Amino acid sequence: MIKVLFVCLGNICRSPTAEGVFRTLIEREGLGDMIGVDSAGTGAYHVGEPPDRRSQAAARKRGVDLSGQRARQAIAEDFTRFDYILAMDRDNHGNLRALSPDGEEHRLHLFLDFAPGAETRDVPDPYYGGAGGFDHVLDLIEEASRGLLAHIRKHHL
Ligand code: 4NP
């Protein structure tokens, strides 16, 4: 099984959304038994909390249920448990590189590198912004999720 971990700062907005969108995509494609999906935050501020209600509402409008998720913090062992670690922005990427054990950095990617058409390399943090930010986050995540799945199909399935 290929295992994929999405990581943002709080694990209550962007990475839970990516976990939900990507899981929904692979289940729709009949790949639920082939690919494992999880998410985590570089920070510990929201550990144990469900996703932000604004993220849940925006995802629900697109048929993605985030309600069962609970936030956890990323740990060094994630680099031996997951094949792909997808950072939502360059800050997260830098913090994850610092967390990575020597020789395991190749597992780490910037998520939007799988969305080459996107106008940005960072999924913007919607936490302090308006509701529109959550839909923009979903647009970016849906595009990168399709790109990531195409990459996994090509290299592993
Ligand atoms: P996330 O958004 O990284 O997409 O989960 C954030 C949520 C909470 C905070 C920062 C970012 N915070 O500082 O509490």
Side-chain angles (χ1 to χ4, degrees):
M1 181 186 251
I2 298 295
K3 295 183 74 181
V4 175
L5 180 69
F6 298 102
V7 184
C8 60
L9 174 58
N11 194 210
I12 56 167
C13 297
R14 292 165 292 175
S15 62
T17 300
E19 177 185 339
V21 165
F22 194 69
R23 180 178 290 122
T24 301
L25 177 63
I26 63 174
E27 285 177 355
R28 199 187 302 139
E29 299 281 321
L31 297 170
D33 295 337
M34 315 273 285
I35 304 174
V37 189
D38 193 9
S39 67
T42 57
Y45 323 102
H46 296 281
V47 167
E49 294 179 19
D52 188 287
R53 61 180 63 248
R54 298 166 295 174
S55 295
Q56 291 199 47
R60 199 178 304 118
K61 282 194 294 181
R62 301 191 192 196
V64 175
D65 178 14
L66 309 183
S67 63
Q69 298 187 39
R70 294 296 178 268
R72 73 167 177 91
Q73 191 171 21
I75 54 175
E77 287 73 27
D78 287 323
F79 279 87
T80 48
R81 295 210 303 249
F82 291 90
D83 303 288
Y84 287 88
I85 298 182
L86 290 315
M88 292 296 126
D89 66 29
R90 284 170 281 188
D91 276 352
N92 307 148
H93 189 277
N95 289 328
L96 287 163
R97 194 165 46 217
L99 184 65
S100 170
D102 286 348
E104 305 295 345
E105 299 87 350
H106 62 280
R107 298 169 196 265
L108 178 60
H109 305 266
L110 197 56
F111 187 35
L112 290 190
D113 283 349
F114 292 99
E119 75 281 12
T120 171
R121 299 188 69 209
D122 300 313
V123 181
D125 185 348
Y127 189 65
Y128 295 107
F134 289 84
D135 284 313
H136 180 52
V137 162
L138 269 157
D139 291 339
L140 291 169
I141 285 173
E142 285 180 345
E143 187 183 345
S145 292
R146 288 190 291 269
L148 176 62
L149 180 55
H151 175 93
I152 290 174
R153 276 189 193 280
K154 182 174 171 187
H155 292 278
H156 304 282
L157 302 183

